[in-house]
Amino acid sequence: MTDAAELHHILSRQLKRLGLDFESSPSPAAWRELLKTLSTTYHQAEVERHALERSIEVSSQEMHGMHEILSRQATTDYLTGLPNRRALHTHANARLRVPPVAGKQQHVALLLLDLDRFKEVNDSLGHHVGDQLLVQVGARLGEHLRAEDLLVRLGGDEFAILLGDTGHREAAAVADKLCQALAEPFALEHIAVRSSGSIGIAVYPEDGPDLNTLLRKADLAMYQAKAAGEGHHVYRGEDDTDFATRLQTVDELRTALTQDKLVVYYQPKIDLRTGEVRHVEALVRWEHPTRGLLYPDAFLDLVEEAGLMRGLTRVVLEIALDQAVVWHADGRLLTIAVNLSASCLVDTDLPDEVIAMLADRNLPQGALRLEITEEFLMIDRNRARNVLTQLRSHGIQISIDDFGTGYSSLSYLRDLPIDELKLDRSFIFPMADDARAAALVASTIALAHSLDLRMVAEGVENDVTYNELKRLGCDQAQGYYMSRPVPAAALEHWLDNWQPADRNTAIPPPPPHRAR
């Protein structure tokens, strides 16, 4: 097609849009309208082209900004605002690739921190309070670290700290400082909550060539710290063996709970005014298949860590109450005290289960006493009041075990339904040689009586302490001086031969390093 023909074709189409026929020799006015239309159409096309170009440019900027936001979100913990596990891998890989400087290898320490008993805060105060605690923990840890240190929340109640140019000794010093910082109370929902953490330490390159190895070894060290209650632990080669042993022990504990390998020993409580025995405490032991009879200090911490405490408590309650049925049938109307941990008391079903256990056995209300620690009262006063009131309404008496070792306010003695205080052995043991200790015991007995509470002294190991407690008006005493914990049959024999006026019938204590 020639240029003239192409022009003819274009003009013909535009004229048809205007209702004109090109062949009809349009007037000058029609030509002017045609030119005007063509100009307007071209201008509109240019405007649309520029708008499209601007739109593409803006979209590109928005996509770049969105990419940056998504990148930050991918490496940031949504709750605390701290870097997350992905950020740890990115930073660690960069730091661990730094070559030696002047022939000297750079050390990088990894600290793995796990909050102790965080689940109890969640269960008793609610997950929203647990979230607040995690935020405050992150902020407090950050206050005690250098600007170049990396603090990461791995998830749950677990944090990691990456320390550049730091060896084992320096890392242990940092861990000690962080443990001290966590020991200060946190203000949550108008409640002062105390927390603590267990920290495992592994150092590059001695303990591993890469982050995954360091994480595994720091995790092993953290469990060692938690088991020993020592705050922090530096990884050692034998920790691998210890961890395997712990896993095996947990598996054996699960078996013990289902195959009657747990046994209960009983320790009498002596009425210091009359010398009679009307109360005993039930204490668990484990008949281990290869290690023999294990005392609580050998396995209770592991039970707690493995989440088995509620199951163990139910087993102990069943054994103790079954024994109560036997004793009551024989005319031995003994009240049995069973210890409950804080983790058990946050179980809202516990009161109903305990009440049902008593009803199923047709035991009288006074057959059971529950011993709890101040720790539970510190976690949630309102929950404690509800649980204890429900138990108390069914005649189950409440005793505060290890009294004097906690940090809670004494106001709970006034506010909560409590029947008895058990003064911790750490106050009783030095009484014979320490006048100040004896004065403290005397004032505590007076405090209990002023609140119409009974006072029980535990850990009585000699006649001087026994007689002094009697003189001070203490209500009951238990300890190796009178009888160590023994099986039910041995206790029956002891009861048949017990002479309140004759201390020579006391059973000698076992080695002092064993727990009761």
Side-chain angles (χ1 to χ4, degrees), residues 168-233:
H168 290 93
R169 182 177 299 178
E170 298 86 352
V174 172
D176 186 62
K177 181 171 63 175
L178 296 179
C179 287
Q180 292 181 33
L182 291 180
E184 295 298 319
F186 293 87
L188 305 170
E189 297 281 312
H190 309 294
I191 300 173
V193 174
R194 290 186 178 271
S195 183
S196 61
S198 298
I199 301 177
I201 302 169
V203 175
Y204 168 86
E206 292 92 332
D207 300 326
D210 52 56
L211 178 62
N212 288 333
T213 303
L214 293 176
L215 280 169
R216 182 180 67 82
K217 295 187 175 181
D219 194 51
L220 293 175
M222 183 270 291
Y223 276 105
Q224 290 290 339
K226 192 177 288 289
E230 57 187 13
H232 61 81
H233 179 83

Side-chain angles (χ1 to χ4, degrees), residues 23 65 82 84 97 136-137 141 167 196 233 276 288 303 319 331 347 361 366 369 381 406 430 440 468 504 510:
E23 300 299 335
L82 295 172
N84 62 12
R97 292 194 186 109
Q136 292 191 28
V137 165
L141 291 174
S196 61
H233 179 83
E276 296 177 350
H288 192 275
V303 168
I319 295 173
D347 183 356
R361 292 165 176 80
R369 179 173 298 166
R381 182 76 59 84
L440 183 59
E468 180 64 9
N504 293 327

Side-chain angles (χ1 to χ4, degrees), residues 11 42 69 106 179 184 262 268 294 301 328 347 424 445 498:
L11 291 175
Y42 175 78
I69 292 173
Q106 297 295 304
C179 287
E184 295 298 319
L262 297 177
L294 299 183
D301 286 343
H328 280 238
D347 183 356
D424 186 69
I445 292 172
W498 167 247

Side-chain angles (χ1 to χ4, degrees), residues 324-511:
V325 172
V326 174
W327 280 337
H328 280 238
D330 291 341
R332 301 183 191 273
L333 304 181
L334 296 170
T335 295
I336 299 180
V338 174
N339 291 277
L340 294 183
S341 71
S343 60
C344 291
L345 286 162
V346 298
D347 183 356
T348 56
D349 294 331
L350 178 71
D352 289 335
E353 290 185 12
V354 172
I355 293 164
M357 287 182 184
L358 287 168
D360 290 343
R361 292 165 176 80
N362 293 316
L363 286 169
Q365 292 184 340
L368 178 65
R369 179 173 298 166
L370 296 178
E371 296 188 3
I372 64 175
T373 62
E374 291 178 279
E375 177 187 10
F376 171 61
L377 306 179
M378 292 163 53
I379 295 175
D380 186 350
R381 182 76 59 84
N382 291 330
R383 180 182 288 265
R385 180 184 293 107
N386 293 336
V387 170
L388 299 184
T389 299
Q390 188 176 355
L391 292 167
R392 193 68 185 81
S393 67
H394 286 78
I396 300 170
Q397 297 194 354
I398 307 299
S399 177
I400 303 299
D401 198 13
D402 301 329
F403 178 72
T405 61
Y407 299 95
S408 55
S409 167
L410 290 177
S411 63
Y412 74 79
L413 298 178
R414 175 198 63 203
D415 298 337
L416 300 177
I418 297 167
D419 302 282
E420 178 182 276
L421 303 179
K422 292 189 69 178
L423 192 58
D424 186 69
R425 63 185 62 243
S426 62
F427 295 97
I428 302 301
F429 185 76
M431 278 183 62
D433 303 312
D434 188 339
R436 295 180 65 183
L440 183 59
V441 171
S443 63
T444 307
I445 292 172
L447 171 65
H449 290 168
S450 69
L451 296 171
D452 198 26
L453 302 174
R454 288 185 304 275
M455 175 59 73
V456 178
E458 54 182 347
V460 178
E461 299 192 1
N462 56 66
D463 60 341
V464 174
T465 302
Y466 183 96
N467 291 324
E468 180 64 9
L469 288 167
K470 184 175 181 179
R471 187 186 68 80
L472 293 174
C474 186
D475 298 293
Q476 297 176 7
Q478 68 181 101
Y480 292 151
Y481 175 59
M482 295 82 75
S483 172
R484 62 175 175 259
V486 293
L491 180 67
E492 293 169 5
H493 177 74
W494 182 90
L495 288 170
D496 292 337
N497 292 277
W498 167 247
Q499 299 294 327
D502 183 8
R503 298 282 76 77
N504 293 327
T505 59
I507 300 175

Side-chain angles (χ1 to χ4, degrees), residues 167-315:
H168 290 93
R169 182 177 299 178
E170 298 86 352
V174 172
D176 186 62
K177 181 171 63 175
L178 296 179
C179 287
Q180 292 181 33
L182 291 180
E184 295 298 319
F186 293 87
L188 305 170
E189 297 281 312
H190 309 294
I191 300 173
V193 174
R194 290 186 178 271
S195 183
S196 61
S198 298
I199 301 177
I201 302 169
V203 175
Y204 168 86
E206 292 92 332
D207 300 326
D210 52 56
L211 178 62
N212 288 333
T213 303
L214 293 176
L215 280 169
R216 182 180 67 82
K217 295 187 175 181
D219 194 51
L220 293 175
M222 183 270 291
Y223 276 105
Q224 290 290 339
K226 192 177 288 289
E230 57 187 13
H232 61 81
H233 179 83
V234 178
Y235 171 80
R236 300 174 301 187
E238 54 265 34
D239 291 343
D240 291 277
T241 303
D242 292 342
F243 186 72
T245 301
R246 289 170 65 81
L247 289 178
Q248 180 182 352
T249 304
V250 170
D251 186 60
E252 293 170 341
L253 274 168
R254 296 183 191 278
T255 301
L257 287 172
T258 59
Q259 295 186 4
D260 299 329
K261 298 299 182 183
L262 297 177
V263 295
V264 173
Y265 279 34
Y266 302 89
Q267 187 175 35
K269 301 179 184 181
I270 316 301
D271 188 307
L272 290 175
R273 185 176 62 83
T274 66
E276 296 177 350
V277 177
R278 291 174 292 182
H279 304 83
V280 297
E281 181 178 1
L283 298 160
V284 68
R285 304 288 188 262
W286 180 13
E287 287 281 9
H288 192 275
T290 60
R291 297 161 62 188
L293 186 68
L294 299 183
Y295 284 62
D297 59 343
F299 61 90
L300 278 190
D301 286 343
L302 192 56
V303 168
E304 193 78 69
E305 290 175 24
L308 301 175
M309 184 58 77
R310 298 181 188 182
L312 181 142
T313 300
R314 288 182 174 90
V315 170

Side-chain angles (χ1 to χ4, degrees), residues 60-76:
S60 177
Q61 293 174 349
E62 289 178 345
M63 289 180 66
H64 180 71
M66 183 63 68
H67 177 72
E68 290 184 346
I69 292 173
L70 291 175
S71 296
R72 285 196 301 271
Q73 289 178 343
T75 57
T76 302

